[in-house]
Amino acid sequence: MEVLVFLVPLALMLGLIGLMGFLWSLKNGQYDDLEGAGWRAIADDEPVSREP
């Protein structure tokens, strides 16, 4: 049971670090355009060359 003295604060600290990372990603716009990256991968921007 003595190990809980170390594990509970460690778990809280890791959770806080994860929450801070998530909030940082929200602040920097990581989730602003969720569909754009998928559409850019599908879109065919190069013109089709017609060589006989």
Side-chain angles (χ1 to χ4, degrees):
M1 295 303 280
E2 295 173 0
V3 72
L4 290 177
V5 172
F6 298 108
L7 290 180
V8 170
L10 180 66
L12 290 174
M13 186 176 69
L14 289 176
L16 183 63
I17 290 171
L19 180 64
M20 289 175 63
F22 176 70
L23 292 175
W24 176 81
S25 68
L26 281 177
K27 183 180 176 183
N28 289 326
Q30 294 289 320
Y31 299 105
D32 286 348
D33 186 17
L34 295 177
E35 295 180 2
W39 283 110
R40 282 191 296 275
I42 294 173
D44 187 19
D45 293 337
E46 297 179 15
V48 177
S49 63
R50 298 183 187 237
E51 296 180 11

